[in-house]
Amino acid sequence: MNAAIIFGLLLALMLTGMPISISLGLTVLTFLFTMTQVPLESVALKLFTGIEKFEIMAIPFFILAGNFLTHGGVAKRMINFATALVGHWHGGLGLAGVMACALFAAVSGSSPATVVAIGAILLPAMVKAGFPNRFGAGIITTSGALGILIPPSIVMVMYSVATNTSVGALFMAGVIPGLVMAFMLGLTTWWRARQAHYPHVKIFPERSGGQATVASLFGVFYAVVFTVVPPFVLGNLLARVLPNPGFGYFLAGVFWLALAPWTTRNKWMTRFVYIGLIVVGFPVAASLLLLEWLGSGFGTAQLSLIPTVVTLGWISLIQSCGKYTGIAPTFKFELLWESLSVWRAYWESIWGLLLIVVVMGGIYTGLFTPTEAAAMSAVYAFIVAVFVYKDMKLADVPKVLLASANMSAMLLYIITNAVMFSFIMTNEQIPQALAQWMLDMGMGPLVFLLAVNVLLLLAGNFMEPSSIVLIFAPLLFPVATRLGIDPVHFGIIMVVNMEVGMCHPPVGLNLYVASGITKMGITELTVAVWPWLLTMLGFLVMVTYWPPLSLWLPRLLGMS
């Protein structure tokens, strides 16, 4: 009976058009003062203790980092990198949009911020290149939802606050599902573009799609080798001289980050690096590793053949790729210059991409907690936007701080009222009663998860993600644990449901943000997103009933 009163009152207040946060607060206060004997002091104490959790501090920091990156030129450089990498396929700019959204999601933590940052730059370019407005709008609206699945994620932090689940485990659990969903959205984009014969974006129009793919893969390989090997070698030398080895590697990394972009613009330096690292250095390093691995099982004569075989095999592979693309990459360098577009775009975006390493690497290695990682990301994003890329002036910083403070205050107000709402539900033992009722009905995990998905998708029609997580997580979480469902897996299911909810009316945040960018009506935009929305629903089924998809990585890292 009390449960019916609580949710009936909440629904009635929401139907009046009252904001979710105020509806929650009035529901709590009305019920507490008319239906219970809870002391007023307990209410006040709960209001303060509910937001004292250390994890909540991560929310304003991630919001601040996302705003710095949105206004600091990071999105533009990520789009250029994605276009250089996949633009030559069918629907190239659309695929670049999916990839850029995935990359920006990994540094922003916010879905609407991803839509604004990528969509404002990419959508006009797609229309100019001959893509229909609907096609681009559907891609950006749905791909922008990756912002809350690929870590860091503000919604995951809220789920952690509501259920006391590890934020680090949730972040790691979102990596593989986020990549799989990005791949599925990209596949849908490619298929629709191929069917409709939408244009490619080729740096060298005379190349076929396969030839351009080989060149872009070489570019990625150059970038990875060029990023890792020189600073590792230099850091190893400095570590032997300096008293603190870690500081030596740090100095080497900073020095190389400052030097590397220049090497991609100097023709002879690039040729020297290409020959030294790729043509000669790679087979030498591979030979040394093989000699160390096979040293005890083979004779001297056999081992002496390894460097020759590896070097000849590697050069033959490069030459075969050169023959396929109609060029001779080892000696004439044309493949190098075509791949250099990917290489240069990668280095221009490296400072933004490194934020992924700062956040995820710091959490995994235990260097700092998720909240400390959020603070680090905010400081890092400020330095990159203002002093590295210089796309943001110091005079613009107060505006960004004010916008971040406004959004943080709104979310913290919702959290405060949601904590009180969770308190009265726990006080009335509503989650426990719901769990017992479901068990008495013989409802197993499969049926329960189906019911959860339906409930959350329906809630997504009327509420935004933060409110859904903070209201329904405390209610459904005890039932899930009673049924043996992993808390981290359940959190990922809720996040994916929130993604779908952000892309369909009437209150899908991404729809309204994309509508402002594209100048399309909500109805027209709803029709535009359907192919990708159906893909997201298929992915929701996959992530719901295949737990290893979300649990494999955190278990591998010992975090779940």
Side-chain angles (χ1 to χ4, degrees), residues 157-308:
V157 176
M158 291 187 169
Y159 175 83
S160 171
V161 170
T163 62
N164 289 319
T165 306
S166 166
V167 180
L170 285 168
F171 280 3
M172 293 301 170
V175 173
I176 294 178
L179 294 176
V180 172
M181 185 172 175
F183 173 78
M184 292 176 66
L185 292 173
L187 190 62
T188 303
T189 301
W190 174 82
W191 177 254
R192 286 182 57 80
R194 188 170 182 270
Q195 294 295 103
H197 303 288
Y198 290 149
H200 308 249
V201 181
K202 289 186 179 179
I203 301 169
F204 295 91
E206 67 274 10
R207 303 275 192 248
S208 68
Q211 291 171 332
T213 299
V214 170
S216 65
L217 289 176
F218 262 88
V220 173
F221 180 73
Y222 297 159
V224 172
V225 173
F226 203 51
T227 304
V228 175
V229 176
F232 177 79
V233 173
L234 181 59
N236 194 27
L237 294 174
L238 290 175
R240 298 177 182 180
V241 178
L242 297 174
N244 188 337
F247 186 64
Y249 285 104
F250 173 76
L251 284 179
V254 172
F255 171 76
W256 191 244
L257 281 173
L259 179 66
W262 173 79
T263 64
T264 63
R265 295 176 177 86
N266 184 289
K267 185 175 183 179
W268 288 103
M269 183 64 180
T270 305
R271 287 186 172 183
F272 173 76
V273 172
Y274 173 67
I275 295 293
L277 286 180
I278 307 301
V279 179
V280 178
F282 182 80
V284 168
S287 299
L288 291 174
L289 289 174
L290 282 173
L291 287 171
E292 184 178 350
W293 182 44
L294 301 173
S296 59
F298 292 86
T300 304
Q302 294 169 314
L303 292 175
S304 63
L305 293 175
I306 289 179
T308 304

Side-chain angles (χ1 to χ4, degrees), residues 531-552:
W532 292 270
L533 197 58
L534 291 175
T535 301
M536 295 173 76
L537 289 171
F539 175 75
L540 174 60
V541 174
M542 181 193 300
V543 81
T544 299
Y545 293 111
W546 189 27
L549 184 64
S550 53
L551 296 178
W552 178 80

Side-chain angles (χ1 to χ4, degrees), residues 104-115:
F104 196 81
V107 297
S108 70
S110 169
S111 189
T114 303
V115 174

Side-chain angles (χ1 to χ4, degrees), residues 28-51:
V28 170
L29 294 176
T30 302
F31 184 81
L32 283 176
F33 293 142
T34 60
M35 305 288 293
T36 69
Q37 301 297 320
V38 176
L40 184 62
E41 292 80 5
S42 299
V43 177
L45 183 64
K46 191 65 181 176
L47 282 172
F48 285 100
T49 58
I51 58 172

Side-chain angles (χ1 to χ4, degrees), residues 299-357:
T300 304
Q302 294 169 314
L303 292 175
S304 63
L305 293 175
I306 289 179
T308 304
V309 172
V310 170
T311 302
L312 290 176
W314 176 241
I315 293 178
S316 298
L317 175 63
I318 297 177
Q319 289 298 115
S320 298
C321 293
K323 184 178 180 181
Y324 172 70
T325 54
I327 53 182
T330 308
F331 308 111
K332 294 187 178 180
F333 300 103
E334 283 88 346
L335 178 60
L336 173 62
W337 304 128
E338 186 169 66
S339 302
L340 200 59
S341 60
V342 178
W343 196 356
R344 284 174 175 163
Y346 166 80
W347 274 109
E348 288 176 358
S349 62
I350 187 66
W351 289 99
L353 297 174
L354 276 177
L355 185 55
I356 304 172
V357 179

